[in-house]
Amino acid sequence: MRDRYLELLDQIISATLKGQIRSERQVYRKLQEGVSPGTGEIFERCLQERVDQVAAILQAEGDELKQAKAMRQQRALTMIQSQWHQWQKDNQSSADLDHVVQALTTTTGDEQLNQLLQ
């Protein structure tokens, strides 16, 4: 899963640098298509790993061309982070509803009412 998410991030960054992704909405759709439900933590760790890598390049690199590329990658990662947070907000209510439905289907009788009220 980790390798898949690192590859997804690299694809989004590459497409952004090539001008193939021009809007935040396109990034949002890529995240919707590429991130599996219940694996958000893994994706977040991969995203942070890429952010840290680019930050290290920006601090250590003296070559202006490499720094310019790293800055563009950093902007792409910032856009990915913002759309990831948006995706999480949009899907929080759906996850909550799924949790309630699962709790109701695994309990019986009076416990169902208690679960629903919680």
Side-chain angles (χ1 to χ4, degrees), residues 15 17 24-26 38 40 42-43 48 54 57 67 77 82 88 92-93 97 99 107 113:
L17 295 180
E24 291 182 343
R25 194 71 191 154
Q26 288 175 300
I42 297 169
F43 178 78
Q48 189 59 49
V54 171
I57 291 170
Q67 271 209 331
L77 285 165
S82 75
Q88 286 180 307
Q92 183 62 44
S93 59
L97 183 59
H99 178 71
T107 58
L113 180 58

Side-chain angles (χ1 to χ4, degrees), residues 3 10-11 13 19 21-22 29-31 42-43 47-48 54 69 72 76 81 89 99 102 118:
D3 292 338
D10 291 341
Q11 288 173 354
I13 292 167
I21 292 181
R22 294 188 183 109
R29 281 195 298 269
K30 291 276 188 189
L31 293 175
I42 297 169
F43 178 78
L47 180 56
Q48 189 59 49
V54 171
K69 182 178 179 181
R72 291 173 51 218
Q81 285 176 316
K89 276 199 283 187
H99 178 71
Q102 184 176 359
Q118 287 179 355

Side-chain angles (χ1 to χ4, degrees), residues 19-49:
Q20 296 169 339
I21 292 181
R22 294 188 183 109
S23 74
E24 291 182 343
R25 194 71 191 154
Q26 288 175 300
V27 172
Y28 186 91
R29 281 195 298 269
K30 291 276 188 189
L31 293 175
Q32 274 184 314
E33 295 166 2
V35 179
S36 301
T39 62
E41 246 181 73
I42 297 169
F43 178 78
E44 284 181 17
R45 277 185 262 146
C46 292
L47 180 56
Q48 189 59 49
E49 183 178 322

Side-chain angles (χ1 to χ4, degrees), residues 55-96:
I57 291 170
L58 284 171
Q59 287 181 346
E61 193 58 56
D63 184 5
E64 287 184 29
L65 289 175
K66 290 182 180 180
Q67 271 209 331
K69 182 178 179 181
M71 288 178 69
R72 291 173 51 218
Q73 289 174 331
Q74 188 177 44
R75 282 194 298 272
L77 285 165
T78 301
M79 184 168 41
I80 293 169
Q81 285 176 316
S82 75
Q83 290 310 297
W84 172 247
H85 293 301
Q86 184 63 46
W87 186 85
Q88 286 180 307
K89 276 199 283 187
D90 292 348
N91 289 293
Q92 183 62 44
S93 59
S94 176
D96 291 343

